[in-house]
Amino acid sequence: MQPTPSMPSTVVMTGASRGIGRVAAERVLRASQDAHLVVVARASSGVRATAELRESAGPGQAVSHVAADLGSPASVRAAAVEIRDRLDSGDLPPLRGFVGNAGVQYTNALTEGPEGFEATFAVNVLANHLFVRLLEDRFALKGRFTTPARIVITVSDTHFGDFRHNMGMVPGPVWRSPEVLARPAAFPRPDTTAGGRTAYSTSKLAALYLVHEYARRLPTGIDAVAYNPGFVPGTDLARNADPVSRFAMRRLLPVLARTPFATSRAAAGRYLADLALGTIEAPTGSYVDRDRVARSSPESYDPQRERELWNAAERFCSPFAESRK
């Protein structure tokens, strides 16, 4: 892709160190010659990824790193405040995009983060919410830009909870009160891989609920969309799983990787970048399946759950969001 002229702007991305996020980061830099990409990641991986992205992007492309442990709301808050300060000082050009691509899946539902939240929920749900809420009043809404700012949250079709979307390797979501979901041992057999995967699919359903709330609540001029990359071979979803899932990983997935069922890492990263840059059109609140707007699961449209989760996320994040002013 040839770079296109654009006004200077900032795109903040989590999960840019590897996988589809790394592909997306490289494409953002190639496609938008005036974009300043802010990579949010742990210190070691973020420093390395930033250096490599600078080298591959070539002269004139701006890439910088903000350190954060996404499993710690306090660390996420510090990272968001640092980005706010850099925007306010002019060290960063106007903010046009936030890509919440980082995600984790554990082999149990007992892993606890630094502030006591279950780790899957902390990274896949609360980290994105903190960034959205602490950066929302720093997005450039008017002036030289003619298109809305865009928030993209990477979700997963595991939220459907059916064989068609994940071949039975990931249990479907099990919704509970957000106060329960946010803490360890929210699911049956929490010490098992199945428990960890249930936490994962449920967190992706939660992310969809919050995207719907963002579409309702964020100011006009900020669009929020959910992105499903589909099945991307090489993500090791069946690692440490039951025998049936391990058999599927060894015997079926290599075959499926060569079929339309799968999405290559290059394609998934390209779609993510194009969605972040607005090349893929999608109204706010959309679910984008690979490169087109689609319907997410029937369960993912529940205004009562969406409102309850929003209110709970606000409570969970309030000790860490005091710098929003």
Side-chain angles (χ1 to χ4, degrees), residues 6-310:
S6 60
M7 301 300 293
S9 62
T10 293
V11 176
V12 176
M13 183 182 294
T14 69
S17 301
R18 57 190 173 188
I20 67 172
R22 179 60 173 270
V23 176
E26 292 171 352
R27 184 172 176 86
V28 165
L29 292 169
R30 290 196 306 270
S32 184
Q33 61 185 9
D34 290 316
H36 186 128
L37 181 68
V38 177
V39 174
V40 179
R42 290 181 182 271
S44 57
S45 60
V47 169
R48 182 174 61 253
T50 299
E52 293 170 353
L53 285 166
R54 281 197 191 112
E55 183 177 354
S56 64
Q61 291 291 155
V63 189
S64 59
H65 167 236
V66 171
D69 173 1
L70 297 178
S72 164
S75 179
V76 173
R77 171 193 175 276
V81 169
E82 179 180 340
I83 294 168
R84 286 166 61 94
D85 290 344
R86 292 179 61 189
L87 289 163
D88 292 347
S89 70
D91 179 54
L92 292 174
L95 179 63
R96 297 298 296 161
F98 169 74
V99 181
N101 178 63
V104 296
Q105 180 181 155
Y106 292 93
T107 55
N108 61 67
L110 296 172
T111 305
E112 185 174 310
E115 282 85 36
F117 295 105
E118 192 275 321
T120 313
F121 191 88
V123 175
N124 297 359
V125 181
L126 292 184
N128 289 329
H129 189 68
L130 266 166
F131 276 118
V132 168
R133 296 293 279 144
L134 286 169
L135 295 179
E136 67 175 87
D137 60 353
R138 293 316 197 258
F139 280 96
L141 303 181
K142 298 178 181 178
R144 51 187 141 175
F145 298 105
T146 58
T147 58
R150 181 165 276 185
I151 293 166
V152 181
I153 306 297
T154 298
V155 293
S156 167
D157 51 10
T158 60
H159 85 276
F160 280 89
D162 57 18
F163 187 86
R164 173 178 167 235
H165 288 89
N166 60 58
M167 298 176 293
M169 290 188 298
V170 181
V174 177
W175 193 254
R176 301 277 191 262
S177 161
E179 283 76 11
V180 174
L181 295 176
R183 305 299 175 181
F187 306 101
R189 299 188 299 148
D191 58 332
T192 66
T193 299
R197 289 182 178 161
T198 302
Y200 177 81
S201 62
T202 305
S203 75
K204 294 304 185 178
L205 177 62
L208 273 162
Y209 286 152
L210 285 178
V211 166
H212 296 161
E213 280 296 298
Y214 298 150
R216 295 186 188 104
R217 295 173 182 265
L218 293 179
T220 300
I222 306 176
D223 288 351
V225 297
Y227 168 63
N228 169 46
F231 164 58
V232 183
T235 57
D236 251 357
L237 273 180
R239 183 180 59 190
N240 300 322
D242 58 89
V244 173
S245 294
R246 291 200 303 272
F247 173 82
M249 180 179 69
R250 289 195 309 267
R251 303 296 186 186
L252 298 181
L253 299 195
V255 176
L256 291 171
R258 299 190 293 271
T259 72
F261 179 83
T263 312
S264 70
R265 189 160 51 183
R270 181 173 74 250
Y271 299 150
L272 176 57
D274 290 351
L275 190 58
L277 294 173
T279 305
I280 296 175
E281 295 185 4
T284 189
S286 294
Y287 174 74
V288 178
D289 184 10
R290 299 165 179 85
D291 62 345
R292 64 196 63 190
V293 175
R295 293 284 292 179
S296 50
S297 72
E299 187 181 7
S300 70
Y301 301 95
D302 190 322
Q304 180 175 342
R305 287 183 181 179
E306 291 162 4
R307 183 171 58 253
E308 289 174 352
L309 179 59
W310 168 277

